[in-house]
Coordinates of all heavy atoms in Angstrom, one line a residue:
D188 N -71.1 -121.4 -76.1 CA -69.6 -121.3 -76.2 C -69.1 -119.9 -76.5 O -68.2 -119.4 -76.0 CB -69.1 -122.2 -77.3 CG -68.9 -123.6 -76.7 OD1 -69.0 -123.8 -75.3 OD2 -68.7 -124.6 -77.5
T191 N -69.4 -118.0 -73.4 CA -68.3 -118.4 -72.4 C -67.0 -117.6 -72.9 O -66.2 -117.0 -71.9 CB -68.1 -119.8 -72.5 OG1 -69.3 -120.5 -72.0 CG2 -66.8 -120.2 -71.6
I192 N -66.7 -117.7 -74.1 CA -65.5 -117.1 -74.7 C -65.5 -115.4 -74.5 O -64.4 -114.9 -74.0 CB -65.3 -117.3 -76.1 CG1 -65.1 -118.7 -76.3 CG2 -64.1 -116.5 -76.7 CD1 -65.2 -119.2 -77.8
A195 N -65.0 -114.8 -70.6 CA -63.6 -115.1 -70.2 C -62.6 -114.1 -70.7 O -61.7 -113.6 -70.0 CB -63.2 -116.5 -70.8
L196 N -62.7 -113.8 -72.0 CA -61.8 -112.6 -72.5 C -62.0 -111.3 -71.8 O -61.0 -110.5 -71.6 CB -62.1 -112.5 -74.1 CG -61.6 -113.7 -74.9 CD1 -61.8 -113.5 -76.4 CD2 -60.2 -114.2 -74.6
A209 N -62.8 -121.8 -67.7 CA -64.1 -121.6 -68.5 C -64.5 -123.1 -68.9 O -63.6 -124.0 -69.0 CB -63.9 -120.8 -69.6
E210 N -65.7 -123.2 -69.1 CA -66.4 -124.5 -69.6 C -66.7 -124.3 -71.0 O -67.6 -123.5 -71.3 CB -67.6 -125.0 -68.7 CG -68.2 -126.2 -69.2 CD -69.5 -126.6 -68.6 OE1 -70.0 -125.6 -67.9 OE2 -69.9 -127.7 -68.7
L211 N -66.2 -125.3 -72.0 CA -66.8 -125.3 -73.3 C -67.3 -126.5 -73.8 O -67.2 -127.5 -72.9 CB -65.4 -125.0 -74.2 CG -64.7 -123.7 -74.3 CD1 -63.5 -123.8 -75.1 CD2 -65.6 -122.7 -74.7
L212 N -68.2 -126.5 -74.8 CA -68.7 -127.7 -75.2 C -68.1 -128.2 -76.5 O -68.2 -129.4 -76.8 CB -70.3 -127.4 -75.7 CG -71.1 -126.7 -74.5 CD1 -72.4 -126.5 -75.0 CD2 -71.2 -128.1 -73.5
N213 N -67.4 -127.3 -77.2 CA -66.6 -127.6 -78.3 C -65.1 -127.2 -78.2 O -64.8 -126.1 -78.1 CB -67.2 -127.1 -79.6 CG -66.7 -127.5 -80.9 OD1 -65.7 -128.0 -81.1 ND2 -67.5 -127.5 -81.9
R214 N -64.3 -128.2 -78.4 CA -62.9 -127.9 -78.2 C -62.3 -127.0 -79.3 O -61.2 -126.4 -79.1 CB -62.0 -129.2 -78.2 CG -60.5 -129.1 -78.0 CD -59.7 -130.3 -77.7 NE -60.1 -130.9 -76.5 CZ -59.4 -130.5 -75.5 NH1 -58.5 -129.4 -75.5 NH2 -59.7 -131.0 -74.3
E215 N -62.9 -126.9 -80.4 CA -62.4 -126.1 -81.6 C -62.4 -124.6 -81.2 O -61.6 -123.9 -81.7 CB -63.3 -126.1 -82.8 CG -63.3 -127.6 -83.4 CD -64.2 -127.7 -84.6 OE1 -64.9 -126.7 -84.8 OE2 -64.4 -128.8 -85.2
Y216 N -63.1 -124.2 -80.2 CA -63.2 -122.9 -79.8 C -62.2 -122.6 -78.7 O -62.0 -121.5 -78.2 CB -64.6 -122.4 -79.2 CG -65.6 -122.6 -80.2 CD1 -66.7 -123.3 -79.9 CD2 -65.4 -122.0 -81.4 CE1 -67.8 -123.5 -80.8 CE2 -66.6 -122.1 -82.4 CZ -67.6 -122.9 -82.1 OH -68.6 -123.1 -83.0
G217 N -61.4 -123.7 -78.2 CA -60.3 -123.5 -77.2 C -59.2 -122.5 -77.6 O -58.6 -121.8 -76.8
S218 N -58.9 -122.4 -78.9 CA -57.9 -121.7 -79.4 C -58.2 -120.2 -79.1 O -57.2 -119.3 -78.9 CB -57.7 -121.9 -81.0 OG -58.9 -121.4 -81.6
H219 N -59.4 -119.7 -79.1 CA -59.8 -118.3 -78.8 C -59.4 -118.1 -77.3 O -58.8 -116.9 -76.9 CB -61.2 -118.2 -78.9 CG -61.7 -118.3 -80.3 ND1 -61.6 -117.3 -81.4 CD2 -62.4 -119.4 -80.9 CE1 -61.9 -117.8 -82.5 NE2 -62.5 -119.0 -82.2
L220 N -59.6 -119.1 -76.4 CA -59.1 -118.8 -75.0 C -57.8 -118.9 -74.9 O -57.1 -118.0 -74.0 CB -59.8 -119.9 -74.1 CG -61.3 -119.9 -74.1 CD1 -62.0 -121.1 -73.3 CD2 -61.9 -118.7 -73.7
D221 N -56.9 -119.7 -75.6 CA -55.5 -119.7 -75.5 C -54.9 -118.3 -76.0 O -54.0 -117.8 -75.3 CB -55.0 -120.8 -76.4 CG -55.3 -122.1 -75.9 OD1 -55.5 -122.4 -74.6 OD2 -55.5 -123.0 -76.7
M222 N -55.4 -117.8 -77.1 CA -54.9 -116.4 -77.5 C -55.3 -115.4 -76.7 O -54.6 -114.5 -76.5 CB -55.6 -116.2 -78.9 CG -55.1 -117.1 -80.1 SD -55.6 -116.6 -81.7 CE -57.4 -116.9 -81.6
G223 N -56.4 -115.4 -75.8 CA -56.7 -114.4 -74.8 C -56.1 -114.7 -73.4 O -56.4 -113.9 -72.6
H224 N -55.2 -115.7 -73.3 CA -54.4 -115.9 -72.2 C -55.3 -116.3 -71.0 O -55.2 -116.0 -69.9 CB -53.7 -114.7 -71.7 CG -52.6 -114.2 -72.8 ND1 -51.5 -115.0 -73.2 CD2 -52.7 -113.2 -73.5 CE1 -50.8 -114.4 -74.2 NE2 -51.5 -113.2 -74.4
V225 N -56.4 -117.1 -71.3 CA -57.3 -117.6 -70.3 C -56.6 -118.7 -69.6 O -56.1 -119.6 -70.3 CB -58.7 -118.0 -71.0 CG1 -59.5 -118.7 -69.8 CG2 -59.4 -116.8 -71.4
N226 N -56.5 -118.9 -68.3 CA -55.7 -119.8 -67.6 C -56.0 -121.3 -67.9 O -55.2 -122.0 -68.2 CB -55.8 -119.6 -66.1 CG -55.3 -118.0 -65.8 OD1 -56.1 -117.3 -65.5 ND2 -54.0 -117.8 -65.6
D227 N -57.3 -121.6 -67.9 CA -57.7 -122.9 -68.0 C -59.1 -123.2 -68.6 O -59.8 -122.2 -68.4 CB -57.7 -123.8 -66.7 CG -56.4 -124.4 -66.4 OD1 -55.8 -125.0 -67.4 OD2 -56.1 -124.5 -65.3
Y228 N -59.4 -124.2 -69.2 CA -60.7 -124.4 -69.7 C -60.9 -126.0 -69.8 O -59.9 -126.6 -70.1 CB -61.0 -123.8 -71.0 CG -60.1 -124.2 -72.2 CD1 -60.6 -125.3 -73.0 CD2 -58.9 -123.7 -72.6 CE1 -59.8 -125.8 -74.2 CE2 -58.2 -124.0 -73.7 CZ -58.7 -125.2 -74.5 OH -58.0 -125.7 -75.5
I229 N -62.1 -126.3 -69.6 CA -62.4 -127.9 -69.8 C -63.5 -128.0 -71.0 O -64.3 -127.0 -71.2 CB -62.8 -128.5 -68.4 CG1 -64.2 -127.7 -68.1 CG2 -61.7 -128.3 -67.4 CD1 -64.9 -128.6 -67.1
V230 N -63.4 -129.1 -71.7 CA -64.5 -129.4 -72.6 C -65.3 -130.5 -71.9 O -65.0 -131.7 -71.8 CB -63.8 -129.9 -73.9 CG1 -65.0 -130.2 -74.9 CG2 -63.0 -128.9 -74.5

Side-chain angles (χ1 to χ4, degrees):
D188 279 347
T191 297
I192 294 169
L196 297 181
E210 177 191 15
L211 288 177
L212 297 175
N213 191 333
R214 179 172 288 278
E215 293 180 1
Y216 301 124
S218 57
H219 297 281
L220 299 180
D221 291 331
M222 289 187 291
H224 304 290
V225 175
N226 301 97
D227 264 328
Y228 66 89
I229 66 166
V230 184

